[in-house]
Amino acid sequence: MTVMAERASSQLSVDMFERIAEFAGREDETVRFEFTNGRIGVKKVTNGSHGEIAMWLVFRCKQARPDLTLNVTGQGLKTEAYRKGRARPDAVLAPVGYFNGQGDWADPDGVLMTVEITSYDADTHQRDRVEKPKAYAEAGIPVYLLIDRDHRSLVVHSNPDPAVGYRDVHTAKLGERLTLPDPVAVVLDTEELQQYAD
């Protein structure tokens, strides 16, 4: 992003961002925008391994918690303090039917967990490891799961505090068993994930 674009996005209202994102989504299905930490970010199209990881997690969550749905359709969420941000997690765990009628940017109050799967681009560190945990904690989302392909690990953030971010962070290596904390309460055996960490 150029310096001019960064300055423009810092002055951008949430309403204007939503109009830009809606227009861009109609014009090109391969790119989706986010508005985090006062700047516009681009969420790129993922590769096959990224999709396989997401579907692996969908099946594990549905087996363990049939009362919940892991939405991997790019559902947008209102994030950050006072809902000034807009994020499109790779997956969002919520009760079945929670997103019905909510539109492009849903309220996060009923969301139990957001999931990001790292991509191989220059922004992944800042976006997935710095900005997203802060934004999701500010929104009060109980659990943030980062599937970090670069470090071959899963990082679980829990106990959100809007002032400081997530208070508890636990890292497990791919191949280990991992228990996602309440209110998710799902045990993941991540051995199978190793084949998708390309």
Side-chain angles (χ1 to χ4, degrees):
M1 189 180 297
T2 66
V3 172
M4 183 78 87
E6 286 181 14
R7 283 188 190 137
S9 68
S10 69
Q11 300 168 2
L12 194 65
S13 72
V14 172
D15 290 339
M16 180 58 76
F17 164 75
E18 287 182 356
R19 288 194 298 246
I20 292 168
E22 182 180 352
F23 173 79
R26 285 193 313 265
E27 294 297 313
D28 186 350
E29 294 179 6
T30 65
V31 176
R32 295 207 172 174
F33 290 121
E34 297 179 302
F35 191 54
T36 307
N37 201 23
R39 68 181 183 93
I40 294 176
V42 177
K43 186 132 186 155
K44 297 179 182 176
V45 174
T46 59
N47 67 13
S49 295
H50 189 282
E52 288 293 336
I53 291 169
M55 291 312 298
W56 174 88
L57 191 57
V58 166
F59 292 128
R60 296 310 167 280
C61 288
K62 201 58 167 174
Q63 278 181 321
R65 296 287 308 271
D67 57 319
L68 303 176
T69 295
L70 188 67
N71 185 318
V72 293
T73 64
Q75 173 64 55
L77 292 178
K78 297 174 184 175
T79 59
E80 298 181 271
Y82 310 108
R83 310 296 194 253
K84 291 181 181 176
R86 299 292 183 266
R88 290 196 185 275
D90 289 323
V92 183
L93 187 69
V96 171
Y98 177 76
F99 294 109
N100 188 34
Q102 289 218 38
D104 287 343
W105 304 104
D107 194 293
D109 289 342
V111 171
L112 305 181
M113 178 175 72
T114 52
V115 179
E116 297 290 351
I117 302 163
T118 57
S119 300
Y120 299 115
D121 61 42
D123 287 343
T124 202
H125 173 74
Q126 184 66 25
R127 183 182 59 245
D128 295 339
R129 298 182 190 111
V130 178
E131 293 174 354
K132 292 290 186 79
K134 183 178 184 308
Y136 296 148
E138 285 182 12
I141 297 169
V143 178
Y144 167 51
L145 173 62
L146 174 63
I147 300 176
D148 194 329
R149 296 191 288 169
D150 295 322
H151 298 129
R152 299 185 61 81
S153 65
L154 290 89
V155 184
V156 180
H157 301 75
S158 60
N159 194 10
D161 181 334
V164 297
Y166 286 100
R167 291 193 171 276
D168 299 323
V169 179
H170 174 76
T171 302
K173 290 293 181 191
L174 286 183
E176 296 178 352
R177 285 176 61 88
L178 173 69
T179 301
L180 298 174
D182 288 335
V184 178
V186 170
V187 178
L188 300 175
D189 183 348
T190 68
E191 181 69 35
E192 188 179 341
L193 271 187
Q194 294 187 87
Q195 67 184 314
Y196 304 126
D198 50 17

